Amino acid sequence: MSSWPPLAWRSVAYLTSSAHSNKYGETMAAQNAPGYECTPPWATRPNRLAAWFLEHNSGPQALKWMHYFDAYHRHFEPVKNARARANAEAQASAEAKANGAPTERPTDSVQRPLRMLEVGVNAGGSIGMWRDYFGDDFEYHGIDINPECARFHKPHANEHLHIGSQLNRTFLREVVAAYGPFDIVLDDGGHHVDMQVVTFEEVWPAVVPGGVFMVEDSFSSYTRKFGGYRQSRGG
């Protein structure tokens, strides 16, 4: 197991599902029906991710719980903004150096795209959503055990797919070594507790300072089906 960087430099977010939220965009009509009184956070705050999801009616599908979009935006926007600032500073430093002007920026400042690793690609719909949210200066890496997901591998678009199991430590280490570090890691894979633990142990060290490692559907830690700790009590 790799050594873990201090939590103070990075953040970890866990998302759990709710029986009162929708997972499919097409079910939004039910929430707009007469008598529906609940107003979730994502419906009252500007959120490009939720807007994309609700307006996306063609191409690869994306399956998401609606209340996740608020958490995505809250945790990912600071990372997006920080990467944009770093790139602007790196460009200014390079231009100043080229013009012979003094600069306080370190000489190893690197201008690069925001780099995301998503575990669990499934139908591939989320790739377009992340591209829309993060913009052109974005490098996507997806991991999925299904060989059919290789069709989403588009290096010319800076979208890279890696076929393998998130339980395979050797595979994860190879991906991290070849393509890390990552600004954002999103574990939306098999949801089994063992899978989440292995992925966190192997990929967490590759999260950049100030980055985010997010685990979706953490309810699995409490359910027998996914190897949760309540299995002995029939939870």
Side-chain angles (χ1 to χ4, degrees):
M1 183 183 72
S2 304
S3 59
W4 295 0
L7 286 171
W9 283 97
R10 298 153 177 81
S11 63
V12 184
Y14 298 94
L15 301 184
T16 185
S17 58
S18 168
H20 302 291
S21 300
N22 288 317
K23 194 171 184 178
Y24 304 96
E26 56 265 28
T27 62
M28 271 301 297
Q31 290 198 357
N32 292 328
Y36 191 88
E37 299 177 353
C38 177
T39 303
W42 50 264
T44 58
R45 289 195 288 266
N47 191 321
R48 187 179 183 93
L49 289 163
W52 184 96
F53 183 74
L54 296 175
E55 296 168 0
H56 186 70
N57 297 315
S58 62
Q61 295 181 345
L63 308 180
K64 295 291 181 182
W65 293 94
M66 292 305 303
H67 65 298
Y68 279 12
F69 295 114
D70 185 64
Y72 289 152
H73 184 56
R74 177 159 30 95
H75 289 282
F76 293 170
E77 185 182 43
V79 179
K80 178 174 68 171
N81 293 341
R83 185 68 254 162
R85 287 193 301 269
N87 283 344
E89 292 171 356
Q91 181 176 355
S93 176
E95 292 175 352
K97 185 177 180 180
N99 294 328
T103 175
E104 297 180 357
R105 298 296 302 168
T107 57
D108 60 346
S109 295
V110 177
Q111 186 175 4
R112 64 167 179 81
L114 184 147
R115 192 175 297 128
M116 178 183 188
L117 174 64
E118 181 175 37
V119 180
V121 178
N122 195 17
S126 64
I127 301 175
M129 181 180 71
W130 300 129
R131 171 69 64 188
D132 179 78
Y133 183 71
F134 291 113
D136 294 332
D137 205 10
F138 173 62
E139 179 179 327
Y140 175 87
H141 291 270
I143 286 177
D144 204 287
I145 198 171
N146 185 354
E148 293 185 4
C149 287
R151 69 184 186 275
F152 301 119
H153 184 62
K154 302 175 182 178
H156 63 280
N158 231 358
E159 298 169 1
H160 311 268
L161 268 293
H162 314 286
I163 305 302
S165 170
Q166 69 178 124
L167 278 173
N168 187 328
R169 292 182 182 271
T170 299
F171 166 69
L172 293 177
R173 290 171 185 171
E174 290 174 347
V175 171
V176 165
Y179 304 102
F182 302 100
D183 299 283
I184 293 173
V185 176
L186 177 64
D187 184 353
D188 186 23
H191 309 307
H192 198 279
V193 174
D194 290 347
M195 298 177 182
Q196 294 171 340
V197 169
V198 169
T199 302
F200 182 79
E201 289 178 344
E202 296 300 334
V203 181
W204 168 251
V207 178
V208 302
V212 173
F213 188 112
M214 182 175 285
V215 182
E216 288 197 11
D217 300 331
S218 57
F219 69 87
S220 60
S221 296
Y222 309 96
T223 57
R224 178 173 55 187
K225 176 181 178 181
F226 294 100
Y229 82 95
R230 294 184 60 190
Q231 57 182 336
S232 61
R233 293 186 288 168

